[in-house]
Amino acid sequence: MRWIPVSFKQRGLFINMFFITVVIIVIVSVTIAWTTVRMSEKFFFGKFSIMNATVMNQVIDSFESFNYSIVQASNNFLTSGTIKSVLSGKQSDRQKMTSFYTIGQQMKRIQSNFVPYDMDIVIMGINGVSFSTYQNYWPITDRELETSTLRRKTLEQPKKLMYQYHRLDKQKQYIVATRALMDRITEKIYGSMYFAISEKEIRKFYTSYTSPGNNVYLVDKTGLIVSSNQSKLIGQKSRDFLDYAAKLKNSSQKYIVGKFMGKDQVILMNYLPSFDMYLFNIIDKQTAFGDLIDTKEITLILMGIVLLALLIVFFASRRLTNSLSILVRQISNVSKNNFDQYVAVTGTYETKQIGNAFNSMLDELHEYVEQLMLSQKQQRHAELAALQQQINPHFLYNTLASIKFLVKQRGKEDSEAIINALISLLQNTIGNVSETITIEQELDNLKNYVLINQMRYGSRIQVNYFVELDCKHVQIPKLILQPFIENSFFHGFNQKQEGTINVLIWRDNELLKCEVTDNGDGMSPIDDKLPKTKRKQQLFSGIGVRNVHERIQLIYGEPYGVKITSKPREGTKVLITIPCQS
């Protein structure tokens, strides 16, 4: 999360509160708007279904009126003895002429019941005799009718008046009411009757009630569209009609909103028992109700309400969280100001309580830090003092051993010079309680120590000093060079009889580097860092050498210390690196 700006982190509570509130407002607003639209649609659909039911009842009345005329006509045919005798028996030509005339007059009387409708009536006997009121209207031959499914289904259910769809071609589509002519006593079938009406005539029953997006479909029990104002769909089957019919039969609602022809439609259905068909009224939802609900206006109003609510929430949330954000910013800056800056106690009650608690914590933290620093300082002094106590006895022992040897070997004057050099060493090391001394003082100590050793061993080992002039007053820990001079004197020239020790001190930017090199015996390569344990090599087994490295790291930290490099028969180089402090 490093990529998040600090200012955003400090105002995290405000941002989270605002974001959550925005989400809630949007969800609630959208939910209310959606619910309002749905309830409005449901209300309109309910009202529309009631109005539409009244209209559809008028359409149903037209169908029932037509069916009533068919029933009356079929009963007249069934009770006519003349028709029965002509269709079931054999007659002479003279009798046939008389019968044809009588039946023709009777069919004309029956035809008068169908004045509002343009249709054809056909009766056909089992003896092959047939009569038609208007042959050109329903152009089907006797042979075709005799072998048609119309006749077959009629004879299968002779007592039932049924309506069947009959199509000759795309332009000639008919709905035919059929019934068998059967003797009521013997139940012997002697013929069948057919009332053929063009689909276009049936369409007149409901065309005046249709409009764009408001369609009517007359569908039989197989899902076949028998009649519709959508003429291109007539003669096609759709399983959807049967599914919606089943749903509406089992539903308390008078309509269903569903998909039809790939669009959302309001679907209403009435069952016509006389026709044994379904009358569907399907209304395109968008076309019929799209203008009733102005979605664009609702959306604009909703956006306005949401925007106003967001502005109110923004300023209210910012005002409530501003004091807390300021407090967070002040708290985050405390570490940069070393705990010296108290936070301002302002804002709400909760923010003030947090501010007071934080300031009290700072007071306790100051006290704790001071105690901790004092304890660490005392511990550091104790550790340095312990290390110093390790150096002094070691140094005194070697130095006194040299003086003892000189007193035995040389005269009074030489012994006096050595004692004076020892006194000077003791004043600068044991007598000076300071942790650090200047490089100039350290060089004086080195020269006194070298003098003592040269008095003892002679001048076979020469010591040279190369010091930058601006380094003389730089402060360094006491006795950080002497242990390495001592090791070179006592262990660096066991095989070689003569040699040179060079002491180099210089600045390297912010660092002070001190180097002690000799061209003595040297040793096998060792690690860059001086170990804290004793080595097998005698040259660096002294306590003073390890002590120097530990003291430097204790005072300045781990990046600083002693680095030793050496090669057999080539000599040894000791590099000491510490910060440059005047």
Side-chain angles (χ1 to χ4, degrees), residues 137-339:
Y137 181 83
W138 185 32
I140 185 170
T141 64
D142 292 346
R143 179 61 180 170
E144 290 174 341
L145 183 57
E146 188 175 356
T147 59
S148 67
T149 57
L150 294 174
R151 188 168 184 272
R152 179 177 58 79
K153 290 182 179 180
T154 301
L155 297 180
E156 287 175 356
Q157 302 183 60
K159 295 181 180 181
K160 183 178 179 180
L161 174 64
M162 63 179 64
Y163 289 85
Q164 302 181 57
Y165 173 74
H166 184 240
R167 175 173 177 165
L168 296 175
D169 55 43
K170 189 174 182 181
Q171 300 299 324
K172 296 178 181 180
Q173 302 177 83
Y174 301 86
I175 297 173
V176 183
T178 66
R179 187 173 181 179
L181 291 168
M182 183 177 67
D183 188 283
R184 294 183 178 181
I185 298 174
T186 63
E187 295 187 352
K188 182 179 179 181
I189 298 173
Y190 56 87
S192 55
M193 64 185 88
Y194 305 90
F195 302 86
I197 183 170
S198 171
E199 186 277 329
K200 294 180 181 179
E201 286 293 312
I202 292 290
R203 200 183 305 173
K204 293 179 181 179
F205 293 174
Y206 54 81
T207 302
S208 59
Y209 302 109
T210 61
S211 60
N214 182 9
N215 302 308
V216 173
Y217 301 87
L218 184 63
V219 181
D220 67 11
K221 286 296 187 67
T222 65
L224 179 70
I225 301 174
V226 173
S227 177
S228 174
N229 61 306
Q230 297 290 322
S231 57
K232 61 182 179 180
L233 298 179
I234 298 172
Q236 296 183 20
K237 281 189 177 182
S238 175
R239 182 68 190 177
D240 293 341
F241 286 114
L242 301 181
D243 293 338
Y244 286 128
K247 289 180 181 178
L248 286 167
K249 280 183 179 179
N250 299 323
S251 175
S252 59
Q253 291 185 333
K254 296 181 179 180
Y255 67 91
I256 289 178
V257 178
K259 288 283 186 181
F260 183 76
M261 303 295 290
K263 294 182 179 180
D264 289 330
Q265 310 274 5
V266 181
I267 302 168
L268 301 95
M269 184 273 294
N270 293 94
Y271 176 62
L272 303 178
S274 301
F275 287 75
D276 195 22
M277 294 183 182
Y278 300 108
L279 184 64
F280 281 92
N281 183 200
I282 299 181
I283 304 140
D284 182 69
K285 182 179 175 183
Q286 181 62 33
T287 303
F289 303 103
D291 296 334
L292 295 177
I293 301 174
D294 193 339
T295 307
K296 184 177 181 181
E297 184 177 357
I298 292 176
T299 303
L300 292 175
I301 293 173
L302 177 63
M303 291 176 62
I305 294 173
V306 171
L307 181 60
L308 179 62
L310 291 182
L311 290 174
I312 295 173
V313 169
F314 176 81
F315 289 109
S317 301
R318 187 172 183 181
R319 184 173 182 179
L320 290 173
T321 60
N322 192 46
S323 57
L324 186 59
S325 298
I326 294 173
L327 179 62
V328 171
R329 186 164 55 252
Q330 290 177 341
I331 291 175
S332 63
N333 291 331
V334 165
S335 60
K336 302 175 185 178
N337 295 280
N338 299 321
F339 307 105

Side-chain angles (χ1 to χ4, degrees), residues 262-505:
K263 294 182 179 180
D264 289 330
Q265 310 274 5
V266 181
I267 302 168
L268 301 95
M269 184 273 294
N270 293 94
Y271 176 62
L272 303 178
S274 301
F275 287 75
D276 195 22
M277 294 183 182
Y278 300 108
L279 184 64
F280 281 92
N281 183 200
I282 299 181
I283 304 140
D284 182 69
K285 182 179 175 183
Q286 181 62 33
T287 303
F289 303 103
D291 296 334
L292 295 177
I293 301 174
D294 193 339
T295 307
K296 184 177 181 181
E297 184 177 357
I298 292 176
T299 303
L300 292 175
I301 293 173
L302 177 63
M303 291 176 62
I305 294 173
V306 171
L307 181 60
L308 179 62
L310 291 182
L311 290 174
I312 295 173
V313 169
F314 176 81
F315 289 109
S317 301
R318 187 172 183 181
R319 184 173 182 179
L320 290 173
T321 60
N322 192 46
S323 57
L324 186 59
S325 298
I326 294 173
L327 179 62
V328 171
R329 186 164 55 252
Q330 290 177 341
I331 291 175
S332 63
N333 291 331
V334 165
S335 60
K336 302 175 185 178
N337 295 280
N338 299 321
F339 307 105
D340 293 332
Q341 183 177 353
Y342 289 91
V343 298
V345 181
T346 58
T348 61
Y349 172 78
E350 293 82 0
T351 307
K352 289 180 180 179
Q353 289 297 102
I354 295 174
N356 288 328
F358 187 80
N359 289 337
S360 299
M361 184 194 70
L362 282 183
D363 291 333
E364 295 179 1
L365 187 60
H366 287 157
E367 183 178 354
Y368 173 76
V369 169
E370 289 176 358
Q371 293 177 355
L372 182 62
M373 291 178 64
L374 179 61
S375 174
Q376 290 180 345
K377 186 175 181 180
Q378 291 174 347
Q379 181 181 357
R380 185 161 151 266
H381 280 298
E383 291 174 352
L384 288 173
L387 292 174
Q388 186 68 37
Q389 293 301 320
Q390 291 177 0
I391 294 174
N392 291 337
H394 177 76
F395 171 73
L396 288 174
Y397 173 79
N398 288 336
T399 304
L400 290 174
S402 298
I403 293 173
K404 177 182 177 182
F405 177 79
L406 288 173
V407 169
K408 290 181 180 180
Q409 297 294 329
R410 300 198 179 190
K412 180 180 178 181
E413 293 181 0
D414 290 339
S415 298
E416 183 178 354
I418 292 176
I419 291 172
N420 288 333
L422 175 61
I423 291 171
S424 178
L425 277 174
L426 293 176
Q427 286 176 341
N428 287 325
T429 56
I430 300 176
N432 186 356
V433 296
S434 176
E435 293 180 5
T436 61
I437 59 176
T438 63
I439 289 178
E440 187 175 14
Q441 291 173 315
E442 180 73 3
L443 288 175
D444 290 340
N445 291 337
L446 286 180
K447 290 176 182 178
N448 288 325
Y449 180 76
V450 170
L451 175 62
I452 293 171
N453 283 288
Q454 285 180 339
M455 286 290 185
R456 178 179 178 182
Y457 297 104
S459 299
R460 67 186 184 90
I461 301 175
Q462 297 295 321
V463 180
N464 303 314
Y465 305 94
F466 305 94
V467 182
E468 286 186 352
L469 294 177
D470 59 348
C471 294
K472 289 187 176 182
H473 299 289
V474 174
Q475 295 284 329
I476 61 173
K478 291 189 298 184
L479 298 174
I480 63 169
L481 298 177
Q482 182 272 336
F484 300 103
I485 298 292
E486 177 183 341
N487 273 279
S488 293
F489 262 102
F490 286 97
H491 307 295
F493 295 93
N494 292 329
Q495 297 178 5
K496 294 183 180 181
Q497 298 301 315
E498 295 181 350
T500 303
I501 300 173
N502 294 320
V503 179
L504 299 89
I505 301 175

Side-chain angles (χ1 to χ4, degrees), residues 87-101:
L87 298 182
S88 60
K90 292 184 178 181
Q91 293 181 331
S92 64
D93 293 339
R94 183 180 181 86
Q95 289 176 329
K96 286 183 180 180
M97 291 295 295
T98 304
S99 299
F100 285 164
Y101 175 78

Side-chain angles (χ1 to χ4, degrees), residues 532-580:
K532 294 185 180 180
T533 57
K534 291 185 178 181
R535 288 188 170 273
K536 293 182 179 180
Q537 291 89 340
Q538 189 179 6
L539 180 59
F540 291 101
S541 62
I543 191 171
V545 175
R546 296 196 315 276
N547 185 287
V548 171
H549 184 71
E550 293 173 359
R551 286 171 61 211
I552 290 174
Q553 290 199 334
L554 184 62
I555 296 172
Y556 301 112
E558 291 188 1
Y560 308 98
V562 179
K563 180 180 179 181
I564 299 173
T565 56
S566 181
K567 291 183 179 180
R569 296 182 299 277
E570 292 185 12
T572 303
K573 180 173 72 173
V574 178
L575 178 62
I576 301 172
T577 304
I578 61 175
C580 190

Side-chain angles (χ1 to χ4, degrees), residues 504-518:
L504 299 89
I505 301 175
W506 74 95
R507 282 178 182 267
D508 186 2
N509 295 325
E510 300 299 323
L511 299 177
L512 179 72
K513 294 192 176 181
C514 305
E515 188 175 279
V516 178
T517 61
D518 66 58

